[in-house]
Amino acid sequence: MRVAIIGAGLTGLIAGRELVRGGADVVVFDKGRSPGGRLATRRIGGATLDHGAQFFTARSPAFAAQVDDWKECGLVHVWNQGFNGTDGHPRYVATNGMNSLAKDLAVDLDVQCSTMVFAIRDEPDVNGITVVIDDGTAHTVDAVIVTCPLPQAFALMIDGGIELDETLFRTDYDRTVGLLVRLDGPAAIPASGGIQDPDEIFSFIGDNASKGVSTEPAVTFHANPTWSEAHWDDENDTLVDQLTAAAQPWLGDASILEHSLKKWRLATPRSIWPDPCWTTANGRIVLAGDAFAGPKIEGAHNSGLAAAHTLLD
């Protein structure tokens, strides 16, 4: 079975590995320069910061098994037991940044980055599904797993002769504006190293030094959906000034040495499809990702597994 996967985030990589394990011939396409999606890590000067997903828990047996493998390899460790007391679910982080998990999963997979998929077509005169790349090349496969956000998936398939469920594609997404800062000293963040919903602007604040990701003081600030939506069209300099001012209570005596602004247009789905993936009537195209099993690392993992087994079964 020849399978193309659109998107080399966690869902696509997990699906790809599971399909290869089941004997399929798999290629993964991603428009980014490297695999990862929201498993995103970047350097600012000598600091390292996670700027997409910040941590994860393991509450299902399938994902717990994956986390155990990562722990044995030294790829992840426990950050804390919760931000406001413990709930029995350790918060895990990737020791070398979240993107290191994507790189590990991509080993031995055919991942083609900097490759923009233009269209997916189910044409009667073609024995399979045609995946068209923006340079005009085309790949014919037996099945496709699409893991990008639903508005992007819809755009890829709308003119491809594919029967789509309009209810599914009406899913709205929240936006997120993020500020990454490198500091000249420790931040004034509680011992847990993270803060959820501390005020009317931020949804999460994460101390990357506390996580063990950065050897220098560095903090990731995520603005909440309401603030991000209201200020999305502001000039970047204005956004930086506003977020920097709002961040001051959490910086203590430290000053910002360098900063970087990050904007996620399709950050979080506002509603979740009741099943871990969705399949066309002919079983050739599967949609998976954060709009199905939940907008968390665990959900992305479990949706990828479900998509792979839908084809293997």
Side-chain angles (χ1 to χ4, degrees):
M1 180 169 57
R2 300 162 299 167
V3 182
I5 297 175
I6 315 304
L10 182 60
T11 299
L13 295 172
I14 287 293
R17 289 179 69 89
E18 194 70 9
L19 284 166
V20 168
R21 214 169 358 244
D25 181 6
V26 176
V27 58
V28 185
F29 298 114
D30 195 280
K31 65 181 179 180
R33 290 179 294 177
S34 64
R38 292 186 181 90
L39 293 176
T41 306
R42 68 164 300 170
R43 294 186 64 84
I44 301 179
T48 304
L49 304 91
D50 288 326
H51 63 89
Q54 295 293 304
F55 66 93
F56 55 90
T57 59
R59 308 185 185 213
S60 63
F63 188 53
Q66 177 64 70
V67 173
D68 285 342
D69 288 342
W70 282 335
K71 286 194 294 185
E72 288 181 10
C73 296
L75 291 174
V76 305
H77 63 268
V78 175
W79 180 17
N80 58 48
Q81 298 293 329
F83 303 108
N84 298 302
T86 180
D87 58 7
H89 298 285
R91 272 59 175 171
Y92 292 96
V93 295
T95 303
N96 295 312
M98 289 296 187
N99 190 249
S100 66
L101 302 182
K103 292 178 179 178
D104 175 68
L105 293 171
V107 172
D108 296 330
L109 277 180
D110 181 5
V111 180
Q112 300 186 18
C113 293
S114 300
T115 303
M116 176 76 78
V117 173
F118 178 75
I120 300 170
R121 297 172 181 157
D122 189 354
E123 300 166 312
D125 58 341
V126 176
N127 185 25
I129 305 295
T130 302
V131 177
V132 183
I133 309 303
D134 65 352
D135 64 4
T137 59
H139 300 260
T140 300
V141 294
D142 300 306
V144 176
I145 296 177
V146 186
T147 70
C148 53
L150 291 175
Q152 296 174 351
F154 183 76
L156 292 177
M157 297 186 292
I158 183 61
D159 296 321
I162 302 165
E163 187 174 347
L164 303 175
D165 187 322
E166 292 187 9
T167 303
L168 175 63
F169 291 100
R170 283 199 290 266
T171 299
D172 291 324
Y173 282 70
D174 286 325
R175 301 177 180 186
T176 297
V177 178
L179 180 68
L180 315 179
V181 298
R182 181 171 77 93
L183 307 176
D184 63 0
I189 294 176
S192 66
I195 313 171
Q196 292 180 302
D197 300 315
D199 52 35
E200 70 278 4
I201 293 181
F202 295 119
S203 59
F204 189 80
I205 303 172
D207 185 340
N208 292 277
S210 166
K211 291 164 69 172
V213 171
S214 181
T215 57
E216 294 187 6
V219 180
T220 300
F221 293 90
H222 282 172
N224 63 44
T226 301
W227 193 94
S228 296
E229 181 77 26
H231 296 273
W232 186 258
D233 294 322
D234 290 357
E235 296 290 335
N236 284 354
D237 288 345
T238 300
L239 288 171
V240 170
D241 290 343
Q242 292 172 318
L243 292 175
T244 298
Q248 290 305 312
W250 314 109
L251 301 182
D253 296 328
S255 297
I256 296 176
L257 298 176
E258 294 181 82
H259 69 266
S260 178
L261 186 72
K262 178 65 181 177
K263 300 173 75 174
W264 302 89
R265 180 179 292 276
L266 301 171
T268 310
R270 294 177 181 172
S271 59
I272 304 300
W273 192 253
D275 301 312
C277 61
W278 178 87
T279 310
T280 54
N282 63 9
R284 290 173 177 258
I285 299 175
V286 182
L287 270 62
D290 59 3
F292 296 89
K296 297 181 179 180
I297 289 182
E298 182 164 19
H301 172 277
N302 291 346
S303 183
L305 278 184
H309 285 289
T310 294
L311 295 181
L312 292 173
D313 290 345

